[in-house]
Amino acid sequence: MRTGTLKQILLITDGCSNQGEDPIAMAALAKEQGITVNVIGVMENDVIDDQGMQEIEGMAMSGGGVSQVVYAKQLSQTVQMVTRKAMTQTLQGVVNRELSQILGNRQTVEDLPPDKRGEVMEVVDELGETVELEVLILVDTSASMKQKLPTVKEALFDLSLSLNARSGQNRFSLFVFPGKKNDVEKMLDWTPKLESLTSIFSKLTTGGTTPTGPAIREALTYFKKKKSLRSLLSRDDDEFYEESI
Amino acid sequence: MMMNSMKSQFNVNRGTVIDGKWHQNRYLIEKELGYGANGVVYLAKFRNQHVALKMSDNGISVTSEVNVLKSFSKVQGSPLGPSLLDVDDWKTQGKVISFYVMEYIQGPDLLSFIKQKGDSWTAVLILQLLSDLDKLHKAGWVFGDLKPENLIVTGPPPKIRCIDVGGTTIQGRAIKEFTEFYDRGYWGLGSRKADPTYDLFAVAMILINCAYPSRFNKDAGGLEQLKERVKQSKQLQPYESVILHALQGKYHSALEMRQSLIENMQGSTGQQQTRMQKHTKPAQQAHATAPLKQQKKKKKGGVAETLMLILLISCLYFFYIYGQVI
Ligand SMILES: Nc1ncnc2c1ncn2[C@@H]1O[C@H](COP(=O)(O)OP(=O)(O)O)[C@@H](O)[C@H]1O
Ligand SMILES: [Mg+2]
């Protein structure tokens, strides 16, 4: 099986969007382009209200990813877990599609007897270790995020520690919203070394509105377009995967 | 998909019958044993035997843990994890939930046991743990999510057992699952690549955890903070050098750490004896420290042996080259 590149957006926010397109629709748009959207809601002394919760879950659901709402203290552990989980989920989707091609009529791993699932899982594990991964990190820097930013920085540092332990290649990039001039501002271009964000974080300013939808839409354009991409659309519901040929 | 801890996600109470879809085994739930990020574990009855049944709405994690347990079962000798009894699906309310059934390991977790029975058990149990880890490492695995909650002391006689193989990773890959306090990456003391030293770091943190049951947060992080904590605890004095070695990844194998711990314990009981005997018979003091002296002598002997060996090999090498030239 050929491994392509897994593409993820990791959105870190602490509440509801209040400007521009519906972020849930934009997450769905990402999914249509083979990009998974994972969302993490961070709380400190505040709580995220129902509306915020619904938006966070909605984005992950329509973006084919994973969401989690946590207190800032647990952020590091959560960020790496969410990213990993989403990877496995996507890879499982790929393997499922391969399986249904081999076995016919929409068979998935769950349709196999439990004793047979193990071998499939080994393939998923192996892919998770070796697949190339692109993570575009999208950080909400609206005013309420101010005290949370140091924790976010630490969590991202921790994420690179986890992902760089894999043998597959990683590329990270970092964007914040709202930007100084636009909805989104690029802080760090694609790089295998997320460690370089340390200096960037000290320069970040917070304030302004929360244009989550426009930020996602804009972020999509920063994923590298490869020459020939074949998007394999999943037949039942969830994940997407792109195969570079 | 929303991630949650699995608490009360399933409507499973005492008396619930779990019917396996594939193997038709029937399990009667007695109570919940615990839960974590990967599922809920229940105590159940099967053919009048107690078993532990782990359920998850994430089929992936069930399959992945089952894979590890299956591979463990092929390793000879004392079991590395709970032994695997069954894997199946349970159809309930239109949903399909994956589960697996394993040996029920009865007993308190490591910290509760030590709290009950006293600190003199710490070394014993850690020695047992290191033996098991050594086997696990030799079989090509790293346990990963090593922490007191995942260590149960059964018995009698007391024997430590590892449960929860959710973090168990093939050596050389990225650690699948970990808990910050026991993770060397979190403390800035190494990578998250699975190698035996990763587990040994966690063992050192478990020892520290014994002295600080409610753990502590990272401030400065790094070796300095941990060193300071170890120094501050009287209880940790006998283990200080072992802990510091393991924290820095200086032990190459669990067996090496184990040996070092044994030597250290002997050293420290020796010292205690000396201290006690000072008050009574000073004459015996020399006797009490004798083993230490012997050790030193052995080391000197070792150096001499090494020198001899180097000399011998150099000679042989010289003759070999000489022979080649001619
Ligand atoms: N085989 C077992 N025998 C007895 N208790 C168990 C067994 N497996 C798990 N438990 C109990 O259930 C708890 C949660 O199980 P665990 O496998 O650690 O779940 P998670 O992977 O979600 O952390 C454990 O902390 C332990 O108390
Ligand atoms: Mg556990």
Side-chain angles (χ1 to χ4, degrees), chain B residues 35-38 54 145 147 149-150 163-166 177 179:
Chain B
Y35 65 92
N38 281 334
K54 186 165 182 174
D145 199 6
K147 56 178 170 180
E149 296 93 306
N150 287 342
I163 54 160
D164 191 2
V165 295
E177 217 177 284
T179 304

Side-chain angles (χ1 to χ4, degrees), chain A:
Chain A
M1 191 184 295
R2 272 202 73 106
T3 60
T5 303
L6 289 191
K7 298 178 178 190
Q8 296 189 353
I9 289 178
L10 176 67
L11 175 66
I12 301 177
T13 180
D14 70 347
C16 245
S17 65
N18 54 21
Q19 198 201 318
E21 292 101 328
D22 177 0
I24 299 180
M26 292 306 104
L29 187 63
K31 189 180 165 188
E32 290 302 322
Q33 299 176 36
I35 298 162
T36 307
V37 180
N38 299 317
V39 192
I40 293 171
V42 222
M43 304 177 285
E44 188 109 56
N45 302 313
D46 47 346
V47 278
I48 295 177
D49 58 13
D50 272 357
Q51 203 190 346
M53 286 287 211
Q54 268 168 26
E55 192 176 284
I56 287 169
E57 281 177 48
M59 280 187 283
M61 191 132 37
S62 68
V66 177
S67 71
Q68 177 89 307
V69 173
V70 288
Y71 283 101
K73 232 184 102 189
Q74 302 150 279
L75 193 63
S76 293
Q77 188 110 32
T78 308
V79 164
Q80 63 86 21
M81 218 155 85
V82 161
T83 306
R84 253 200 112 78
K85 211 155 184 165
M87 274 176 74
T88 318
Q89 198 173 297
T90 309
L91 290 169
Q92 176 101 47
V94 178
V95 173
N96 270 347
R97 280 190 294 285
E98 295 265 329
L99 265 184
S100 62
Q101 262 168 23
I102 299 165
L103 303 173
N105 60 30
R106 315 188 75 210
Q107 286 246 36
T108 67
V109 185
E110 280 74 32
D111 300 318
L112 292 173
D115 306 319
K116 297 266 154 56
R117 287 173 203 163
E119 290 158 42
V120 178
M121 194 58 221
E122 271 169 29
V123 176
V124 173
D125 266 355
E126 170 94 40
L127 284 176
E129 175 68 22
T130 53
V131 73
E132 276 182 33
L133 179 66
E134 281 175 5
V135 188
L136 187 151
I137 300 151
L138 200 50
V139 181
D140 175 352
T141 49
S142 59
S144 55
M145 283 293 288
K146 194 173 170 67
Q147 317 99 311
K148 294 165 196 154
L149 284 184
T151 328
V152 172
K153 179 182 86 181
E154 203 161 306
L156 294 179
F157 191 81
D158 192 86
L159 176 69
S160 74
L161 198 65
S162 273
L163 293 178
N164 288 339
R166 302 182 321 126
S167 40
Q169 271 207 32
N170 304 301
R171 274 183 299 274
F172 306 97
S173 64
L174 177 70
F175 291 76
V176 297
F177 67 100
K180 280 206 186 86
K181 293 188 206 97
N182 304 318
D183 289 330
V184 152
E185 190 175 341
K186 176 163 70 178
M187 303 306 291
L188 181 67
D189 206 351
W190 293 107
T191 167
K193 293 204 178 68
L194 195 51
E195 296 89 301
S196 38
L197 59 79
T198 320
S199 54
I200 295 162
F201 260 76
S202 49
K203 284 182 252 158
L204 282 185
T205 50
T206 49
T209 55
T210 315
T212 315
I216 296 176
R217 180 177 42 73
E218 181 74 18
L220 293 179
T221 64
Y222 288 96
F223 277 94
K224 280 190 198 130
K225 298 276 184 289
K226 297 228 171 73
K227 264 170 227 143
S228 54
L229 281 179
R230 186 158 52 94
S231 216
L232 294 170
L233 304 188
S234 75
R235 258 173 274 171
D236 28 45
D237 50 345
D238 37 20
E239 298 88 16
F240 290 85
Y241 182 67
E242 291 186 337
E243 207 174 53
S244 51
I245 298 151

Side-chain angles (χ1 to χ4, degrees), chain B residues 312-324:
Chain B
L312 197 72
I313 289 172
S314 313
C315 279
L316 285 174
Y317 188 68
F318 173 75
F319 283 120
Y320 170 75
I321 296 286
Y322 190 68
Q324 294 276 309

